[in-house]
Amino acid sequence: MERDTKAASIENRTFGMMSRRQLAGLSVMLPALAAALANGSVAAGIGNRTAISRAAMAQDVPQGGELTVAYNNPVGDTLNQHRSSSTSSRMISRHVLENLTWVDPANGSVNPWLAESWEISEDGLEYVFHLKQGVMFHDGTPFNAEAVKANFDNTMDPEARPGFTYGAMGASAYAGTEVVDEFTVKVTFISPHAAFLLFLSDGGTGIDSPTAMAEAGEDYGRTTLVGSGPFKFVEWIQGSHVTLERNPDYTGGPAAFGFTGPTPLDRLIYRDVPEANIRLQSVLADEAQLASIIPPNVPEVQGQDNVRVIATPKAGTTRMYLFNMNSPKLSDMAVRKAINMVVDKEAMLMLPGWAGFGRPGIACLPSNMVPNGDLSSVEQYDIPYDLEGARALLDEAGWVLNGDIREKDGVQLIFDMSVMQSDVDAGVIEPIDGFLREAGMQLNIKAGDINYWIDSFSNGDYEMTLMSDSGYVAVGMVQEFFRSGEPFATTGLANAEIDDLIDKAIGAPTIEEQWEYLMPCIGLIMQEVVGVMGWESDNLDVASNKLQQLAYNEIGFPWFYGAYLEQ
Amino acid sequence: MRYALTRLVLAVPIMFGVSLFTFLMLHFVPGDPVAAMFIGQGAAVSEEQMDKVRDELGLNDPLPVQYLNFLKNAVRGDLGNSIRTNEPVSEMIMRNLPATMQLTLASMAFALVLGISLGMLAAIKRGTVFDTAAMFIALLGVSMPSFWLGLLLISVFSIQLGWFPIIGGSGWRGLILPAFALGFAASAIIARMVRASLLDVLRDNYIVTARAKGLTERRVIFRHALRNAAIPVLTIVGLQFGGLLAGAVIIESVFTRQGLGRMLVTALQSRDFPVAQGGVLFVAIVYVFVNLIVDLFYGVIDPRISVD
């Protein structure tokens, strides 16, 4: 009951937190798209309204103004998307660059943008794109097939350092790009890359001016960034801010977005603000109009009538308390099951670390990542909360209480939990220790900075950890953590059937076919009880009520094309 | 001149030690910059792909080879390129230096004005309530961590009163709170040193003589006593300058200011070895250089001191 009350008070100032049922009700055309459902939900408030209002928006809404967005480390490395590995950097670049496709967050459909149409060969190995004509980059370079080829060649340059986009282009599955004529380009793969069209909508695969890339060389993405999008790059001062300005000549915009033409805002500034509370305060003081926050910040927003909290289901994996099954204690299935049985996820989500946001986790991928939000085929493998059952299970397995802690053959059920200090500070680690203690188990929390945590995880130097990833290509994330032999698959899971299903999903020519292998694979992973599937998390933003027509893109990041500031 | 040259030559082993220590610290604490780069991309990454990047960055070379390469290039003025942004480290330093120097100099100016005023007041009014109050303020200054003071100042003056910007900002309004937070501890140390030094000097015979000649107390203090009390104070100022540079690492993060401090913190978080090594080495060079200048300045203040 308390949760409902709290959520409602937030929901009144949000575009809407969606229940699992509501999420499931929003079907998507491309099920592996992470935030398609997510943003279908969040954008529900905007989406329905904007569909009607956007046609008239360019003329009707207030023009001008400077929008400041406060993020932590908005450019993790570089704005050169051929080399970047930073998600937020891609989201900034997407305002400057345009893509070949546009994924509509409201329904997950792939729509034309710089590519007006395309054909895909039956085996999924060839994509032919027919490009839009008359598009110019901000530096006056014309957009054409040569520009697309120059971009893809740059990304896949075998001598250059690979970034996110290297994987988005298919990595070793990519064969090459060929100019068919001035406005037709063909991309060929060695093996199917079913998510290619989705990836082409990502900021990482935005098309840069080949002239600007050649002129700037190694400085590209640092001193300049030239695309054909609604905003022009002004400057990036590392550790301080990125400034973009309105492109007054912009006539593009994906048709499916609802309007074209220049964006209302004069300037868009991303400020680098490491502390979540300072980011929140900057919005309350109107120094910024949008900021990312964390659940413990939420109570401070309640009662403020000039801001609203926006919860966007995160595109990526479920936040998982993973086990290292190479640990003798955790190689015991009874222990792994018992840990699951003591964690009351519904109660957990009421604690300050969650503040009522998120949904109890079921599988390694959240409901917003699977077709139609439907996890019913694997729900049977979810282990429900059952404290008494956990105690009985441990007793039966020979783990008996000695004082407060259970032990067997002199080994106590105390688990090294290697995590980031920021997760401890956020309040999402210690509650697990509290749950475990109820059944005679305990955590030994070992916290450090992100490097300590990555090192512990990569080297398998942990018994439990809190893990998740951001992204929207389901098969990649399942492969990353659960296919044996992968660098970050360190849970000790080695199941040939799971590996085989992942390989088949990777090789499937379409996303629909991928899911035929992926869903049973997820079921098998759940049966192995590789961890506690903690919660399906939300990205939280706090926005000034002055900021209107705020849209969220397909991976849950705000997109400011069309946004305006009320005077 | 010979003294200055000797000091410069002596700075070489110090720089060598700093570079070696930084290098070892960075490489022995946990953290693989390449794993940090690739984990969390929402897709699988192959070990070959990561290894290729490690090779490109020279991280697969044995540690002594990596260190010698760094040293060889550093001697030529090439501190390498950032692992994350690929920008030359020397350019990053030069880009961030003005903001940090602005903050450091503002903090030092604040520390000097407050420190000398409090120290003089305490010495002249020794044993009175002024002395106690001045030394209490000095005690506060040395007791409060600068990051805590910074957060307190933001809370009171930016959030509650709205007098100053919350997320940094350019111009003097964005400089006042960070300069205060950073310089307060230094002002406390300077105040205590000025007080002690001035009390010593005020007991000297030449001060008695000056007073006997009928000079005003103001002239005695400012013309004779303060100048002679300045030498130990100057030493402290030199040392404090290094402290302020180090403190900027924290204060720039608290106040979300651009600068060498933010650059170093970000580099350490992402294990950007070249930036961290180059940045620390640069700060060490500045520190040694400032202290050398302070030493040379002794002669200007007291002509009896000859550095040659």
Side-chain angles (χ1 to χ4, degrees):
Chain A
M1 180 58 77
E2 187 194 342
R3 180 190 188 184
D4 289 340
T5 310
K6 184 180 274 185
S9 67
I10 296 295
E11 199 167 359
N12 288 338
R13 289 187 291 276
T14 70
F15 294 120
M17 280 197 304
M18 302 297 280
S19 67
R20 184 186 303 284
R21 185 179 300 168
Q22 284 170 301
L23 279 165
L26 290 162
S27 66
V28 287
M29 292 166 71
L30 290 161
L33 183 68
L37 279 170
N39 285 300
S41 67
V42 165
I46 330 168
N48 294 336
R49 287 200 299 271
T50 52
I52 301 163
S53 64
R54 275 188 175 153
M57 186 170 64
Q59 293 79 32
D60 296 347
V61 304
Q63 302 287 306
E66 185 173 286
L67 170 64
T68 300
V69 180
Y71 274 169
N72 178 22
N73 200 14
V75 185
D77 42 27
T78 168
L79 288 167
N80 179 353
Q81 297 311 315
H82 305 283
R83 304 289 164 261
S84 173
S85 300
S86 157
T87 305
S88 52
S89 158
R90 304 205 307 272
M91 299 308 117
I92 295 173
S93 296
R94 205 195 188 198
H95 291 82
V96 177
L97 313 177
E98 290 186 288
N99 290 67
L100 294 188
T101 66
W102 181 68
V103 171
D104 188 341
N107 58 23
S109 61
V110 179
N111 296 275
W113 195 351
L114 286 179
E116 287 188 323
S117 63
W118 52 83
E119 295 109 37
I120 308 169
S121 65
E122 272 191 23
D123 58 7
L125 297 180
E126 280 185 9
Y127 290 69
V128 177
F129 296 96
H130 304 283
L131 307 176
K132 196 170 167 181
Q133 299 187 23
V135 176
M136 301 291 270
F137 291 105
H138 300 152
D139 62 355
T141 304
F143 165 75
N144 54 26
E146 287 290 354
V148 175
K149 178 175 164 50
N151 271 265
F152 291 173
D153 285 353
N154 189 328
T155 296
M156 304 311 284
D157 180 355
E159 298 303 313
R161 189 191 305 172
F164 165 85
T165 311
Y166 180 83
M169 291 293 296
S172 57
Y174 174 85
T177 301
E178 187 186 321
V179 173
V180 177
D181 61 41
E182 191 179 358
F183 292 104
T184 310
V185 67
K186 183 164 82 175
V187 181
T188 312
F189 293 94
I190 295 162
S191 54
H193 180 33
F196 185 47
L197 287 181
L198 297 182
F199 273 127
L200 286 181
S201 169
D202 189 283
T205 54
I207 306 296
D208 304 84
S209 159
T211 313
M213 285 196 293
E215 279 174 2
E218 291 291 310
D219 289 338
Y220 191 74
R222 189 153 44 81
T223 57
T224 185
L225 181 73
V226 181
S228 55
F231 289 91
K232 290 180 177 179
F233 173 84
V234 176
E235 64 173 0
W236 169 31
I237 305 295
Q238 287 174 45
S240 177
H241 63 272
V242 178
T243 302
L244 310 180
E245 68 181 7
R246 180 178 191 249
N247 173 10
D249 304 322
Y250 189 64
T251 55
F257 189 69
F259 84 100
T260 57
T263 188
L265 294 168
D266 281 340
R267 285 164 86 85
L268 172 56
I269 299 172
Y270 289 88
R271 287 294 310 266
D272 184 354
V273 185
E275 289 295 323
N277 190 45
I278 298 290
R279 292 196 295 273
L280 168 64
Q281 297 298 341
S282 70
V283 175
L284 295 177
D286 199 31
E287 287 184 31
Q289 289 72 44
L290 185 84
S292 58
I293 57 169
I294 54 176
N297 296 141
V298 171
E300 197 161 345
V301 179
Q302 287 174 310
Q304 304 274 354
D305 55 9
N306 59 337
V307 297
R308 62 195 188 275
V309 172
I310 302 170
T312 316
K314 184 189 159 207
T317 66
T318 302
R319 295 213 74 183
M320 308 170 283
Y321 298 96
L322 286 182
F323 301 139
N324 183 347
M325 297 187 290
N326 292 320
S327 150
K329 286 168 270 184
L330 289 161
S331 64
D332 186 339
M333 174 66 89
V335 173
R336 302 206 297 272
K337 280 187 175 169
I339 293 174
N340 270 272
M341 291 159 83
V342 301
V343 177
D344 182 350
K345 294 174 193 168
E346 293 280 354
M348 181 181 86
L349 292 175
M350 297 301 100
L351 298 171
W354 293 265
F357 289 95
R359 295 149 297 283
I362 295 172
C364 58
L365 294 179
S367 48
N368 56 298
M369 288 288 294
V370 302
N372 301 317
D374 183 9
L375 282 167
S376 60
S377 66
V378 296
E379 220 156 0
Q380 59 188 304
Y381 307 120
D382 184 29
I383 301 171
Y385 172 67
D386 179 5
L387 181 57
E388 285 310 316
R391 288 172 178 152
L393 184 62
L394 289 171
D395 285 340
E396 200 178 310
W399 295 97
V400 293
L401 272 174
N402 183 3
D404 292 334
I405 302 294
R406 289 176 185 271
E407 63 174 41
K408 184 163 93 174
D409 303 328
V411 178
Q412 291 186 307
L413 284 185
I414 300 175
F415 309 102
D416 284 341
M417 171 76 109
S418 298
V419 289
M420 280 190 285
Q421 183 62 45
S422 56
D423 284 328
V424 177
D425 297 341
V428 296
I429 302 299
E430 283 168 348
I432 302 301
D433 181 51
F435 287 127
L436 291 183
R437 284 171 190 263
E438 294 284 311
M441 298 179 281
Q442 200 175 308
L443 288 183
N444 176 29
I445 298 170
K446 299 166 86 172
D449 71 353
I450 187 171
N451 296 286
Y452 159 77
W453 169 68
I454 290 174
D455 231 36
S456 306
F457 183 73
S458 312
N459 298 325
D461 185 18
Y462 66 98
E463 288 183 312
M464 287 180 71
T465 188
L466 177 59
M467 174 52 76
S468 65
D469 198 357
S470 302
Y472 51 98
V473 177
V475 65
M477 288 182 287
V478 175
Q479 177 192 3
E480 181 182 19
F481 295 126
F482 302 114
R483 194 197 179 288
S484 55
E486 297 293 332
F488 299 123
T490 60
T491 61
L493 177 69
N495 182 318
E497 205 180 338
I498 290 173
D499 291 350
D500 184 49
L501 286 168
I502 291 172
D503 289 344
K504 282 178 174 159
I506 292 168
T510 66
I511 286 181
E512 288 78 2
E513 282 177 67
Q514 279 192 341
W515 278 101
E516 287 173 20
Y517 302 107
L518 210 50
M519 200 53 99
C521 174
I522 289 171
L524 281 177
I525 292 167
M526 289 172 72
Q527 289 174 68
E528 291 273 8
V529 195
V530 295
V532 178
M533 299 299 127
W535 76 103
E536 300 180 356
S537 64
D538 291 335
N539 290 330
L540 295 184
D541 286 334
V542 60
S544 160
N545 286 339
K546 284 165 61 177
L547 177 58
Q548 295 295 319
Q549 294 283 16
L550 173 63
Y552 277 75
N553 71 13
E554 71 276 14
I555 66 165
F557 278 77
W559 196 35
F560 302 105
Y561 175 51
Y564 68 91
L565 291 168
E566 277 183 343
Q567 301 302 310
Chain B
M1 182 56 76
R2 207 178 71 202
Y3 175 78
L5 283 174
T6 309
R7 287 293 304 270
L8 280 175
V9 170
L10 281 175
V12 174
I14 294 173
M15 293 301 109
F16 176 78
V18 166
S19 69
L20 182 63
F21 185 70
T22 313
F23 179 85
L24 292 176
M25 286 285 285
L26 282 169
H27 284 80
F28 285 121
V29 294
D32 172 2
V34 178
M37 209 182 283
F38 281 100
I39 200 167
Q41 284 199 25
V45 58
S46 67
E47 194 61 65
E48 293 72 37
Q49 209 174 325
M50 300 212 306
D51 231 31
K52 186 184 162 195
V53 176
R54 284 196 190 97
D55 259 344
E56 186 195 313
L57 298 172
L59 298 173
N60 282 335
D61 293 337
L63 279 186
V65 174
Q66 288 185 47
Y67 178 65
L68 286 177
N69 285 340
F70 167 71
L71 214 55
K72 200 167 62 187
N73 293 327
V75 168
R76 294 200 302 255
D78 176 7
L79 296 171
N81 285 17
S82 161
I83 289 176
R84 304 289 287 191
T85 66
N86 202 32
E87 185 179 5
V89 174
S90 49
E91 282 182 23
M92 291 177 77
I93 290 172
M94 287 305 133
R95 188 163 40 74
N96 285 292
L97 183 62
T100 299
M101 287 310 292
Q102 185 192 42
L103 175 62
T104 307
L105 291 176
S107 305
M108 183 51 87
F110 167 78
L112 283 172
V113 170
L114 185 67
I116 291 173
S117 306
L118 284 177
M120 280 175 59
L121 183 70
I124 295 165
K125 307 280 185 186
R126 186 187 179 192
T128 67
V129 68
F130 294 105
D131 185 15
T132 310
M135 285 305 100
F136 179 72
I137 294 171
L139 184 66
L140 275 183
V142 290
S143 309
M144 273 195 288
S146 59
F147 74 90
W148 185 81
L149 178 61
L151 290 172
L152 192 72
L153 292 172
I154 290 173
S155 175
V156 174
F157 293 102
S158 298
I159 295 172
Q160 303 298 329
L161 298 172
W163 292 354
F164 298 99
I166 295 171
I167 48 175
S170 53
W172 65 270
R173 284 185 75 233
L175 188 61
I176 289 177
L177 293 188
F180 183 90
L182 187 56
F184 193 44
S187 75
I189 293 166
I190 291 169
R192 291 160 74 95
M193 182 55 76
V194 167
R195 179 182 182 273
S197 187
L198 206 54
L199 285 176
D200 271 354
V201 169
L202 287 172
R203 282 193 287 265
D204 280 351
N205 290 336
Y206 67 89
I207 296 292
V208 177
T209 308
R211 283 180 177 140
K213 279 164 64 181
L215 295 180
T216 62
E217 190 64 14
R218 187 190 177 113
R219 196 170 168 83
V220 169
I221 297 290
F222 284 96
R223 177 84 189 204
H224 297 281
L226 196 58
R227 190 163 179 176
N228 285 291
I231 288 175
V233 175
L234 203 61
T235 308
I236 285 292
V237 168
L239 293 171
Q240 284 305 308
F241 189 83
L244 293 178
L245 271 178
V249 171
I250 304 295
I251 288 299
E252 284 174 357
S253 293
V254 170
F255 286 91
T256 64
R257 282 178 61 88
Q258 182 208 354
L260 284 176
R262 281 297 294 285
M263 183 193 85
L264 278 172
V265 168
T266 309
L268 289 168
Q269 280 171 346
S270 56
R271 297 294 185 268
D272 195 337
F273 296 141
V275 178
Q277 284 164 198
V280 171
L281 187 62
F282 178 79
V283 171
I285 289 171
V286 172
Y287 187 76
V288 168
F289 188 67
V290 166
N291 278 284
L292 176 62
I293 289 175
V294 167
D295 283 0
L296 296 176
F297 209 62
Y298 288 160
V300 178
I301 292 180
D302 186 348
R304 292 172 303 176
I305 298 175
S306 167
V307 290
D308 282 324

